[in-house]
Amino acid sequence: MPSNAILEQKQQVVADLTDKIRNSVSGVVVNYQGITVEDDTKLRKALREAGVSYQVIKNSLTGRACENCGYGAIKEYLNGMTAIAVSENDAVAPAKILKEYAEKIESFKLLCGYVEGEVLDTAGVEKLASVPSRETLVAQILGLISSPLTSLVVVLDQAAKKAEAPAEA
């Protein structure tokens, strides 16, 4: 029978992970089996730079935290060597970065995830990973907005030059 100290420690881990999941916009669960130390270090660095929290936590504790947040369906994916990546700001970052590693390392697998209150299966996480980042979308929208404005300025400038030309002749 576990001691009270161990039980309290496990309850704290579940409480901390529950808070992280509740305060996040998305998360992805992976099977990290077969990843080398070198690749794992690169992966963790890429996730950290993107503002994504990545943790290896016992499956039973991760399952409890997910259940606390209404993502109980994730429990069925928690088998083997799993880790969870959670992002507070960028819904696409965890899926995009982890998918990149899953494509390079055969035994590293996307299992499931969540976004906007919905649990995603592997295919759903892959679709999420294909969505452009927030910065890319903003740049595309600004490009679409500025393109017609630039054309309008050119047309108005040409019209002004034409209007001035006959007056000078």
Side-chain angles (χ1 to χ4, degrees):
M1 182 166 177
S3 71
N4 284 340
I6 292 173
L7 285 175
E8 287 174 15
Q9 193 175 35
K10 288 180 179 182
Q11 288 169 345
Q12 188 60 51
V13 168
V14 171
D16 291 346
L17 184 56
T18 298
D19 286 342
K20 267 189 186 167
I21 293 171
R22 279 200 180 118
N23 295 322
S24 67
V25 292
S26 72
V28 175
V29 176
V30 296
N31 181 318
Y32 65 91
Q33 185 171 353
I35 191 168
T36 64
V37 172
E38 182 182 351
D39 284 335
D40 187 56
T41 302
K42 289 177 187 175
L43 170 65
R44 288 175 184 271
K45 182 178 187 241
L47 289 166
R48 196 172 35 254
E49 288 173 353
V52 177
S53 168
Y54 179 78
Q55 293 179 280
V56 174
I57 298 176
K58 286 182 71 169
N59 291 335
S60 59
L61 302 180
T62 301
R64 285 191 187 123
C66 289
E67 214 167 43
N68 291 345
C69 298
Y71 298 125
I74 287 177
K75 287 174 77 171
E76 72 181 80
Y77 296 94
L78 298 174
N79 299 307
M81 299 169 65
T82 63
I84 186 167
V86 177
S87 177
E88 289 184 15
N89 303 312
D90 188 345
V92 179
K96 191 173 285 299
I97 294 168
L98 292 170
K99 182 176 186 251
E100 182 182 313
Y101 278 83
E103 289 171 348
K104 289 193 284 190
I105 303 165
E106 189 177 323
S107 61
F108 187 91
K109 300 210 182 317
L110 299 173
L111 297 177
C112 66
Y114 65 88
V115 67
E116 294 182 8
E118 231 180 280
V119 173
L120 307 172
D121 59 5
T122 304
V125 173
E126 288 176 351
K127 282 182 188 174
L128 180 62
S130 68
V131 173
S133 70
R134 183 179 185 277
E135 291 78 19
T136 303
L137 289 173
V138 168
Q140 288 174 346
I141 290 170
L142 289 175
L144 290 171
I145 291 170
S146 68
S147 179
L149 292 176
T150 304
S151 300
L152 179 63
V153 168
V154 170
V155 169
L156 291 175
D157 187 48
Q158 289 174 350
K161 286 178 182 176
K162 281 183 184 179
E164 291 174 6
E168 292 174 5

Short mmCIF file of all heavy atoms in Angstrom, two decimals, residues 63-109:
data_model
loop_
_atom_site.label_atom_id
_atom_site.label_comp_id
_atom_site.label_asym_id
_atom_site.label_seq_id
_atom_site.Cartn_x
_atom_site.Cartn_y
_atom_site.Cartn_z
N GLY A 63 -4.31 9.91 -17.62
CA GLY A 63 -5.71 9.56 -17.83
C GLY A 63 -6.64 10.27 -16.85
O GLY A 63 -7.69 10.78 -17.24
N ARG A 64 -6.24 10.33 -15.60
CA ARG A 64 -7.05 11.02 -14.59
C ARG A 64 -7.15 12.51 -14.90
O ARG A 64 -8.22 13.12 -14.80
CB ARG A 64 -6.48 10.81 -13.20
CG ARG A 64 -6.75 9.45 -12.65
CD ARG A 64 -6.42 9.35 -11.17
NE ARG A 64 -6.56 7.96 -10.76
CZ ARG A 64 -5.60 7.25 -10.21
NH1 ARG A 64 -4.43 7.80 -9.96
NH2 ARG A 64 -5.80 6.00 -9.88
N ALA A 65 -6.03 13.11 -15.27
CA ALA A 65 -6.02 14.54 -15.59
C ALA A 65 -6.91 14.82 -16.80
O ALA A 65 -7.68 15.78 -16.81
CB ALA A 65 -4.60 15.03 -15.84
N CYS A 66 -6.82 13.98 -17.81
CA CYS A 66 -7.65 14.16 -19.01
C CYS A 66 -9.13 14.00 -18.68
O CYS A 66 -9.97 14.77 -19.15
CB CYS A 66 -7.24 13.16 -20.10
SG CYS A 66 -5.64 13.53 -20.85
N GLU A 67 -9.42 13.02 -17.85
CA GLU A 67 -10.80 12.80 -17.41
C GLU A 67 -11.33 14.03 -16.65
O GLU A 67 -12.47 14.45 -16.85
CB GLU A 67 -10.85 11.56 -16.51
CG GLU A 67 -12.11 10.77 -16.64
CD GLU A 67 -11.95 9.40 -15.97
OE1 GLU A 67 -11.37 9.33 -14.86
OE2 GLU A 67 -12.43 8.43 -16.56
N ASN A 68 -10.50 14.62 -15.80
CA ASN A 68 -10.89 15.81 -15.04
C ASN A 68 -11.27 16.97 -15.95
O ASN A 68 -12.02 17.86 -15.56
CB ASN A 68 -9.76 16.27 -14.11
CG ASN A 68 -9.50 15.32 -12.97
OD1 ASN A 68 -10.31 14.45 -12.68
ND2 ASN A 68 -8.34 15.46 -12.35
N CYS A 69 -10.71 16.98 -17.16
CA CYS A 69 -10.93 18.09 -18.10
C CYS A 69 -11.98 17.76 -19.17
O CYS A 69 -12.19 18.55 -20.09
CB CYS A 69 -9.62 18.45 -18.79
SG CYS A 69 -8.36 19.01 -17.65
N GLY A 70 -12.61 16.62 -19.06
CA GLY A 70 -13.63 16.24 -20.04
C GLY A 70 -13.07 15.54 -21.27
O GLY A 70 -13.76 15.40 -22.28
N TYR A 71 -11.82 15.11 -21.21
CA TYR A 71 -11.20 14.40 -22.32
C TYR A 71 -10.97 12.93 -21.96
O TYR A 71 -9.93 12.36 -22.26
CB TYR A 71 -9.87 15.05 -22.70
CG TYR A 71 -9.98 16.47 -23.16
CD1 TYR A 71 -9.25 17.48 -22.54
CD2 TYR A 71 -10.80 16.83 -24.23
CE1 TYR A 71 -9.33 18.78 -22.97
CE2 TYR A 71 -10.90 18.13 -24.65
CZ TYR A 71 -10.16 19.11 -24.02
OH TYR A 71 -10.25 20.40 -24.44
N GLY A 72 -11.94 12.31 -21.32
CA GLY A 72 -11.82 10.92 -20.86
C GLY A 72 -11.55 9.93 -21.98
O GLY A 72 -10.93 8.89 -21.76
N ALA A 73 -11.96 10.27 -23.20
CA ALA A 73 -11.75 9.37 -24.34
C ALA A 73 -10.26 9.17 -24.64
O ALA A 73 -9.88 8.18 -25.26
CB ALA A 73 -12.46 9.92 -25.59
N ILE A 74 -9.43 10.06 -24.17
CA ILE A 74 -7.98 9.93 -24.40
C ILE A 74 -7.42 8.71 -23.67
O ILE A 74 -6.44 8.12 -24.11
CB ILE A 74 -7.25 11.23 -23.97
CG1 ILE A 74 -7.55 12.33 -24.99
CG2 ILE A 74 -5.76 11.03 -23.80
CD1 ILE A 74 -6.96 13.69 -24.68
N LYS A 75 -8.08 8.29 -22.58
CA LYS A 75 -7.57 7.17 -21.78
C LYS A 75 -7.34 5.90 -22.61
O LYS A 75 -6.41 5.16 -22.36
CB LYS A 75 -8.52 6.88 -20.63
CG LYS A 75 -8.46 7.91 -19.53
CD LYS A 75 -9.50 7.69 -18.47
CE LYS A 75 -9.09 6.56 -17.56
NZ LYS A 75 -9.97 6.43 -16.38
N GLU A 76 -8.17 5.68 -23.63
CA GLU A 76 -8.02 4.46 -24.44
C GLU A 76 -6.73 4.45 -25.25
O GLU A 76 -6.26 3.41 -25.70
CB GLU A 76 -9.22 4.26 -25.36
CG GLU A 76 -9.29 5.23 -26.52
CD GLU A 76 -10.51 5.02 -27.41
OE1 GLU A 76 -11.59 5.50 -27.03
OE2 GLU A 76 -10.34 4.39 -28.46
N TYR A 77 -6.12 5.62 -25.46
CA TYR A 77 -4.87 5.73 -26.22
C TYR A 77 -3.63 5.63 -25.34
O TYR A 77 -2.52 5.58 -25.85
CB TYR A 77 -4.83 7.07 -26.97
CG TYR A 77 -5.90 7.23 -28.01
CD1 TYR A 77 -7.10 7.86 -27.69
CD2 TYR A 77 -5.73 6.75 -29.30
CE1 TYR A 77 -8.09 8.02 -28.64
CE2 TYR A 77 -6.72 6.91 -30.26
CZ TYR A 77 -7.89 7.54 -29.92
OH TYR A 77 -8.88 7.69 -30.87
N LEU A 78 -3.81 5.63 -24.04
CA LEU A 78 -2.69 5.67 -23.11
C LEU A 78 -2.16 4.28 -22.80
O LEU A 78 -2.42 3.70 -21.76
CB LEU A 78 -3.10 6.40 -21.82
CG LEU A 78 -3.50 7.86 -21.99
CD1 LEU A 78 -4.03 8.43 -20.68
CD2 LEU A 78 -2.34 8.68 -22.52
N ASN A 79 -1.41 3.73 -23.75
CA ASN A 79 -0.78 2.42 -23.60
C ASN A 79 0.68 2.54 -24.01
O ASN A 79 0.99 3.21 -24.99
CB ASN A 79 -1.47 1.38 -24.50
CG ASN A 79 -2.92 1.21 -24.13
OD1 ASN A 79 -3.24 0.95 -22.98
ND2 ASN A 79 -3.79 1.36 -25.11
N GLY A 80 1.55 1.89 -23.28
CA GLY A 80 2.96 1.92 -23.64
C GLY A 80 3.64 3.18 -23.15
O GLY A 80 3.25 3.78 -22.16
N MET A 81 4.65 3.60 -23.90
CA MET A 81 5.48 4.75 -23.50
C MET A 81 4.90 6.02 -24.11
O MET A 81 5.13 6.30 -25.29
CB MET A 81 6.92 4.52 -23.98
CG MET A 81 7.54 3.28 -23.36
SD MET A 81 9.11 2.78 -24.13
CE MET A 81 10.14 4.15 -23.72
N THR A 82 4.14 6.75 -23.31
CA THR A 82 3.47 7.94 -23.84
C THR A 82 3.99 9.22 -23.20
O THR A 82 4.51 9.21 -22.09
CB THR A 82 1.94 7.87 -23.63
OG1 THR A 82 1.67 7.85 -22.24
CG2 THR A 82 1.34 6.65 -24.31
N ALA A 83 3.80 10.30 -23.95
CA ALA A 83 4.12 11.64 -23.47
C ALA A 83 3.01 12.56 -23.96
O ALA A 83 2.34 12.26 -24.95
CB ALA A 83 5.48 12.10 -24.00
N ILE A 84 2.84 13.68 -23.29
CA ILE A 84 1.82 14.63 -23.70
C ILE A 84 2.46 16.01 -23.91
O ILE A 84 3.29 16.44 -23.12
CB ILE A 84 0.66 14.71 -22.67
CG1 ILE A 84 -0.47 15.60 -23.19
CG2 ILE A 84 1.14 15.12 -21.30
CD1 ILE A 84 -1.77 15.49 -22.39
N ALA A 85 2.08 16.63 -25.01
CA ALA A 85 2.54 17.98 -25.35
C ALA A 85 1.33 18.90 -25.31
O ALA A 85 0.31 18.62 -25.93
CB ALA A 85 3.17 17.99 -26.73
N VAL A 86 1.45 20.01 -24.57
CA VAL A 86 0.32 20.91 -24.34
C VAL A 86 0.74 22.35 -24.67
O VAL A 86 1.81 22.79 -24.28
CB VAL A 86 -0.13 20.82 -22.85
CG1 VAL A 86 -1.24 21.78 -22.56
CG2 VAL A 86 -0.54 19.40 -22.51
N SER A 87 -0.14 23.06 -25.38
CA SER A 87 0.15 24.45 -25.73
C SER A 87 -0.94 25.37 -25.22
O SER A 87 -2.13 25.11 -25.43
CB SER A 87 0.26 24.61 -27.24
OG SER A 87 0.47 25.97 -27.58
N GLU A 88 -0.53 26.45 -24.57
CA GLU A 88 -1.49 27.43 -24.06
C GLU A 88 -1.92 28.43 -25.12
O GLU A 88 -2.98 29.03 -25.00
CB GLU A 88 -0.89 28.20 -22.88
CG GLU A 88 -0.74 27.38 -21.63
CD GLU A 88 -0.23 28.19 -20.46
OE1 GLU A 88 -0.24 29.43 -20.53
OE2 GLU A 88 0.18 27.57 -19.47
N ASN A 89 -1.10 28.64 -26.16
CA ASN A 89 -1.37 29.71 -27.12
C ASN A 89 -1.57 29.27 -28.56
O ASN A 89 -2.43 29.79 -29.24
CB ASN A 89 -0.22 30.73 -27.08
CG ASN A 89 -0.03 31.30 -25.70
OD1 ASN A 89 -0.97 31.70 -25.05
ND2 ASN A 89 1.21 31.31 -25.24
N ASP A 90 -0.77 28.35 -29.03
CA ASP A 90 -0.79 27.95 -30.44
C ASP A 90 -1.39 26.55 -30.57
O ASP A 90 -0.76 25.56 -30.21
CB ASP A 90 0.63 27.99 -30.99
CG ASP A 90 0.70 27.77 -32.49
OD1 ASP A 90 -0.29 27.31 -33.09
OD2 ASP A 90 1.76 28.07 -33.07
N ALA A 91 -2.59 26.48 -31.11
CA ALA A 91 -3.30 25.20 -31.21
C ALA A 91 -2.62 24.24 -32.17
O ALA A 91 -2.78 23.03 -32.06
CB ALA A 91 -4.74 25.44 -31.64
N VAL A 92 -1.85 24.74 -33.11
CA VAL A 92 -1.26 23.91 -34.15
C VAL A 92 0.15 23.41 -33.78
O VAL A 92 0.56 22.34 -34.21
CB VAL A 92 -1.22 24.70 -35.48
CG1 VAL A 92 -0.58 23.89 -36.59
CG2 VAL A 92 -2.63 25.12 -35.88
N ALA A 93 0.89 24.17 -32.99
CA ALA A 93 2.30 23.88 -32.73
C ALA A 93 2.59 22.46 -32.23
O ALA A 93 3.47 21.79 -32.79
CB ALA A 93 2.89 24.90 -31.76
N PRO A 94 1.89 21.95 -31.21
CA PRO A 94 2.24 20.59 -30.76
C PRO A 94 2.07 19.55 -31.86
O PRO A 94 2.95 18.71 -32.06
CB PRO A 94 1.26 20.32 -29.61
CG PRO A 94 0.76 21.64 -29.18
CD PRO A 94 0.82 22.53 -30.38
N ALA A 95 0.96 19.62 -32.59
CA ALA A 95 0.70 18.63 -33.65
C ALA A 95 1.73 18.76 -34.76
O ALA A 95 2.26 17.75 -35.26
CB ALA A 95 -0.71 18.83 -34.20
N LYS A 96 2.04 19.97 -35.16
CA LYS A 96 2.98 20.21 -36.27
C LYS A 96 4.38 19.69 -35.93
O LYS A 96 5.00 18.96 -36.72
CB LYS A 96 3.02 21.70 -36.59
CG LYS A 96 3.75 22.03 -37.87
CD LYS A 96 3.61 23.49 -38.22
CE LYS A 96 2.29 23.90 -38.76
NZ LYS A 96 1.83 23.30 -39.99
N ILE A 97 4.88 20.03 -34.76
CA ILE A 97 6.23 19.62 -34.37
C ILE A 97 6.31 18.11 -34.16
O ILE A 97 7.23 17.44 -34.64
CB ILE A 97 6.69 20.37 -33.10
CG1 ILE A 97 6.82 21.87 -33.41
CG2 ILE A 97 8.00 19.81 -32.57
CD1 ILE A 97 6.97 22.75 -32.19
N LEU A 98 5.33 17.54 -33.48
CA LEU A 98 5.36 16.10 -33.21
C LEU A 98 5.17 15.29 -34.48
O LEU A 98 5.76 14.22 -34.64
CB LEU A 98 4.32 15.74 -32.15
CG LEU A 98 4.63 16.30 -30.76
CD1 LEU A 98 3.44 16.13 -29.83
CD2 LEU A 98 5.88 15.67 -30.17
N LYS A 99 4.36 15.78 -35.41
CA LYS A 99 4.17 15.08 -36.68
C LYS A 99 5.48 15.02 -37.46
O LYS A 99 5.80 14.01 -38.08
CB LYS A 99 3.09 15.75 -37.53
CG LYS A 99 2.82 15.02 -38.83
CD LYS A 99 1.69 15.65 -39.61
CE LYS A 99 1.36 14.81 -40.81
NZ LYS A 99 1.74 15.38 -42.05
N GLU A 100 6.22 16.10 -37.41
CA GLU A 100 7.52 16.15 -38.09
C GLU A 100 8.43 15.02 -37.58
O GLU A 100 9.09 14.34 -38.35
CB GLU A 100 8.16 17.51 -37.82
CG GLU A 100 9.48 17.74 -38.50
CD GLU A 100 10.06 19.10 -38.13
OE1 GLU A 100 9.32 20.11 -38.17
OE2 GLU A 100 11.26 19.13 -37.79
N TYR A 101 8.44 14.81 -36.26
CA TYR A 101 9.26 13.75 -35.69
C TYR A 101 8.68 12.37 -35.97
O TYR A 101 9.42 11.42 -36.19
CB TYR A 101 9.48 13.98 -34.19
CG TYR A 101 10.58 14.97 -33.96
CD1 TYR A 101 10.34 16.33 -34.02
CD2 TYR A 101 11.89 14.55 -33.75
CE1 TYR A 101 11.37 17.25 -33.86
CE2 TYR A 101 12.92 15.46 -33.57
CZ TYR A 101 12.65 16.81 -33.64
OH TYR A 101 13.68 17.70 -33.50
N ALA A 102 7.37 12.26 -36.00
CA ALA A 102 6.74 10.97 -36.30
C ALA A 102 7.05 10.53 -37.73
O ALA A 102 7.15 9.34 -38.01
CB ALA A 102 5.23 11.06 -36.09
N GLU A 103 7.23 11.50 -38.63
CA GLU A 103 7.57 11.17 -40.01
C GLU A 103 9.03 10.72 -40.13
O GLU A 103 9.36 9.92 -41.00
CB GLU A 103 7.32 12.38 -40.92
CG GLU A 103 5.84 12.67 -41.11
CD GLU A 103 5.57 13.98 -41.83
OE1 GLU A 103 6.50 14.80 -42.00
OE2 GLU A 103 4.40 14.19 -42.22
N LYS A 104 9.90 11.22 -39.27
CA LYS A 104 11.33 10.88 -39.32
C LYS A 104 11.65 9.59 -38.57
O LYS A 104 12.56 8.87 -38.95
CB LYS A 104 12.17 12.00 -38.70
CG LYS A 104 12.24 13.25 -39.54
CD LYS A 104 13.32 14.19 -39.06
CE LYS A 104 12.95 14.94 -37.83
NZ LYS A 104 13.87 16.02 -37.47
N ILE A 105 10.92 9.31 -37.49
CA ILE A 105 11.23 8.17 -36.62
C ILE A 105 10.06 7.19 -36.67
O ILE A 105 8.96 7.49 -36.20
CB ILE A 105 11.47 8.65 -35.17
CG1 ILE A 105 12.59 9.68 -35.16
CG2 ILE A 105 11.77 7.47 -34.26
CD1 ILE A 105 12.67 10.48 -33.89
N GLU A 106 10.31 6.03 -37.25
CA GLU A 106 9.23 5.07 -37.51
C GLU A 106 8.47 4.64 -36.25
O GLU A 106 7.25 4.50 -36.27
CB GLU A 106 9.81 3.84 -38.21
CG GLU A 106 8.75 2.90 -38.72
CD GLU A 106 9.36 1.73 -39.48
OE1 GLU A 106 10.35 1.91 -40.19
OE2 GLU A 106 8.81 0.62 -39.34
N SER A 107 9.17 4.45 -35.15
CA SER A 107 8.51 3.95 -33.93
C SER A 107 7.85 5.06 -33.10
O SER A 107 7.08 4.77 -32.19
CB SER A 107 9.52 3.20 -33.07
OG SER A 107 10.57 4.08 -32.69
N PHE A 108 8.12 6.32 -33.43
CA PHE A 108 7.52 7.48 -32.73
C PHE A 108 6.17 7.73 -33.38
O PHE A 108 6.08 7.98 -34.58
CB PHE A 108 8.45 8.69 -32.90
CG PHE A 108 8.06 9.90 -32.10
CD1 PHE A 108 8.55 10.08 -30.82
CD2 PHE A 108 7.20 10.86 -32.62
CE1 PHE A 108 8.22 11.21 -30.08
CE2 PHE A 108 6.87 11.98 -31.89
CZ PHE A 108 7.37 12.16 -30.62
N LYS A 109 5.09 7.65 -32.60
CA LYS A 109 3.75 7.70 -33.20
C LYS A 109 2.84 8.73 -32.53
O LYS A 109 2.82 8.85 -31.30
CB LYS A 109 3.08 6.34 -33.10
CG LYS A 109 3.87 5.26 -33.81
CD LYS A 109 2.98 4.18 -34.34
CE LYS A 109 3.71 3.07 -35.02
NZ LYS A 109 4.76 3.36 -35.90
#
